[in-house]
Amino acid sequence: MKTKLFNNLLLKLLSVIGAVVLWLVVVNIDDAVGSRPLRNVKVNMVNMEAITSQGQMCRIEEGTDVVDLTVYARRSVLNKLKASDFVVTADMQKDLQYGSMVKIEVEYVGDSTIERVDQNRENVLVSIEESVTEQFKVTVRTSGDPDKEKGLVVGTAVPEQSVIEITGPVSVVERIKSVVVEVNITGITGTMVRSGKLKLLDSDGAAIDGTYLEYYGKDQEFNVTVTTLNTKRVGISFDISKAAPEGCSLESISYLPETVTIAGMNSQIRSIYNLEIPPEALNPEGTMGKVEQRVDISPYLDDGLVIPDEDEREIVVTMEIVPHVSRSFFFQGEQVELLNLQPGLAPDWSESGTIEVTVSGVEADLEALAAEQMVLTADLSEYRRAGTYEIPVSVTVPEHIQVPEGLEITLTLVKAEE
């Protein structure tokens, strides 16, 4: 009886052990240890102030501040894992190596059991540089058009800050060549505020990554105040009085375009029909012969006026400037007309002699000039007594003819009764 009971107990123990083994086999088959990848887990950079406190900046090489993790655990655990269960850090103060690598530490903070974690990258690559601050002018670029039906154009586009300071690694800041804000001005009338994003551009016009830069407007809209102006088509008038150098004449002048569109406040442009361009704009170098000159007329506009079309701001002027020739004419004293001869006095022409008048001008004008077209006069209003005087003589000639200065006549005035 005892033998049977003992044998039965042994069988029961063997059954229990077999059941446990079978359970372990089933568990290991159904909930076996496996692996799961977690891609592009962000590395948190800590203790960055260890660098910035020394007037330096740390720039992370692109793509090295993310890591791929491979987690090994039972399948039941793997199914519940997420990236937030892991804290991935790189300590700038503790783990900076060789001045360019920061060791990546991975810590599991979940409440399950994992076997191990493998990572595809051991270090974050960094570049530590001097921090600099530079100032840059903000340039506005517009797209679209204001209300064309009303003949409006953009007058001014004023950014909320004309200059901004940018702080960052010297290698990045020195690449910045321009700072631009782009705004759409479609449908604007009068004055309105539009906003856009600041863009940092290099010398080729390519955008610069501002991740490691600090500046006003980096993470917010940048406002621009846009004002529209009325337009009007007007003519152009050049003052040609100084176009030809001394001893020369302007024989011909032509220019294109002959009219331009100006823009301004309606009250300002209403009375303008011609733009008056001053004499110093033409031929400032005093060139002779055929002269072709590009004249930028925009500096000569009144304040508040603009020429919206850049192609119309420069006028192509063609001039023909020829040197003067001379020709002499001779006149007798009696041919001089005496003005304001005082009562009781009379001229004595016996000693007056001949007056030579040498005129200059364009050859064609001088060839057509006759002595009869020249009028010589002497003003005697200051001569009130008889005597012999050197009296200035004025010569009146046709237009474009030049006469010398300082002509005089020797004239004797006598009492009329004598």
Side-chain angles (χ1 to χ4, degrees):
M1 186 71 177
K2 288 182 179 179
T3 303
K4 292 181 179 179
L5 182 62
F6 177 79
N7 290 338
N8 190 31
L9 180 62
L10 181 61
L11 289 173
K12 290 180 178 180
L13 288 173
L14 289 174
S15 297
V16 170
I17 293 172
V20 171
V21 171
L22 182 61
W23 178 81
L24 289 173
V25 171
V26 172
V27 167
N28 279 280
I29 292 174
D30 189 55
D31 194 18
V33 173
S35 64
R36 178 186 172 187
L38 296 174
R39 307 292 186 190
N40 297 322
V41 179
K42 186 69 175 177
V43 179
N44 296 314
M45 305 299 296
V46 297
N47 290 324
M48 293 289 285
E49 63 272 11
I51 300 300
T52 57
S53 62
Q54 302 176 26
Q56 296 177 313
M57 295 195 72
C58 176
R59 183 164 56 88
I60 300 170
E61 297 297 330
E62 185 176 358
T64 69
D65 60 343
V66 292
V67 63
D68 293 340
L69 303 179
T70 303
V71 184
Y72 293 87
R74 291 194 178 276
R75 190 172 301 168
S76 59
V77 174
L78 292 177
N79 291 337
K80 297 185 293 182
L81 286 178
K82 49 188 179 296
S84 60
D85 292 330
F86 298 86
V87 175
V88 184
T89 58
D91 194 322
M92 289 295 298
Q93 187 172 22
K94 180 171 67 73
D95 294 325
L96 178 62
Q97 305 172 36
Y98 310 111
S100 61
M101 296 188 299
V102 187
K103 185 179 178 181
I104 299 173
E105 298 284 351
V106 180
E107 180 185 0
Y108 174 63
V109 294
D111 54 5
S112 301
T113 301
I114 63 174
E115 297 292 325
R116 73 177 193 275
V117 180
D118 292 342
Q119 58 196 72
N120 73 326
R121 181 184 300 281
E122 296 295 328
N123 298 286
V124 176
L125 302 181
V126 298
S127 176
I128 299 175
E129 303 179 52
E130 178 188 357
S131 175
V132 296
T133 300
E134 296 288 347
Q135 289 187 332
F136 296 88
K137 179 183 177 182
V138 179
T139 302
V140 178
R141 291 182 182 173
T142 60
S143 60
D145 295 295
D147 195 334
K148 285 187 174 182
E149 293 183 0
K150 295 182 179 180
L152 300 177
V153 296
V154 176
T156 58
V158 182
E160 60 177 287
Q161 284 190 198
S162 58
V163 176
I164 64 170
E165 286 189 344
I166 300 179
T167 300
V170 62
S171 64
V172 180
V173 175
E174 67 183 7
R175 289 177 52 215
I176 302 173
K177 299 304 177 186
S178 61
V179 177
V180 175
V181 56
E182 295 182 348
V183 293
N184 189 303
I185 59 170
T186 301
I188 287 182
T189 59
T191 299
M192 298 181 68
V193 176
R194 292 287 172 91
S195 59
K197 283 286 189 181
L198 284 179
K199 294 184 178 180
L200 314 181
L201 307 178
D202 62 16
S203 57
D204 296 324
I208 295 174
D209 183 7
T211 301
Y212 299 101
L213 301 175
E214 295 297 331
Y215 55 92
Y216 177 80
K218 175 181 178 179
D219 300 315
Q220 63 192 59
E221 293 291 310
F222 198 86
N223 292 330
V224 177
T225 302
V226 181
T227 300
T228 58
L229 301 174
N230 298 91
T231 59
K232 183 179 181 180
R233 197 76 181 172
V234 298
I236 305 170
S237 296
F238 283 97
D239 185 336
I240 62 172
S241 60
K242 296 182 180 179
E246 187 175 354
C248 298
S249 287
L250 177 64
E251 190 169 68
S252 64
I253 181 172
S254 61
Y255 48 89
L256 290 173
E258 295 181 344
T259 61
V260 298
T261 297
I262 62 172
M265 300 300 291
N266 204 34
S267 58
Q268 189 176 15
I269 65 175
R270 187 182 296 116
S271 60
I272 299 177
Y273 297 95
N274 277 288
L275 297 180
E276 305 293 337
I277 310 302
E280 58 267 21
L282 291 180
N283 197 19
E285 297 180 357
T287 306
M288 293 191 299
K290 185 175 182 179
V291 179
E292 187 173 286
Q293 179 188 352
R294 290 183 174 271
V295 181
D296 182 0
I297 63 173
S298 57
Y300 305 111
L301 300 179
D302 293 339
D303 290 341
L305 295 181
V306 295
I307 299 176
D309 187 347
E310 291 186 5
D311 293 336
E312 291 188 343
R313 296 174 189 174
E314 275 196 348
I315 308 299
V316 179
V317 182
T318 303
M319 297 171 284
E320 189 70 34
I321 297 176
V322 296
H324 286 171
V325 296
S326 300
R327 182 181 176 188
S328 294
F329 292 82
F330 295 90
F331 297 89
Q332 299 299 318
E334 293 89 340
Q335 293 178 278
V336 177
E337 181 181 350
L338 302 179
L339 305 177
N340 300 314
L341 179 62
Q342 300 299 311
L345 295 177
D348 178 1
W349 299 107
S350 60
E351 301 295 332
S352 61
T354 302
I355 301 174
E356 180 181 1
V357 180
T358 301
V359 295
S360 61
V362 178
E363 184 174 4
D365 291 339
L366 292 187
E367 288 180 354
L369 181 63
E372 291 77 12
Q373 297 173 277
M374 304 172 65
V375 178
L376 281 63
T377 58
D379 186 357
L380 303 181
S381 57
E382 296 183 2
Y383 305 93
R384 301 179 179 279
R385 297 182 180 182
T388 300
Y389 304 98
E390 297 292 330
I391 301 175
V393 175
S394 298
V395 182
T396 302
V397 293
E399 190 179 5
H400 304 309
I401 303 296
Q402 296 183 4
V403 297
E405 297 180 355
L407 288 177
E408 293 182 336
I409 183 175
T410 302
L411 178 62
T412 300
L413 297 177
V414 297
K415 293 182 179 181
E417 58 270 25
E418 297 177 354

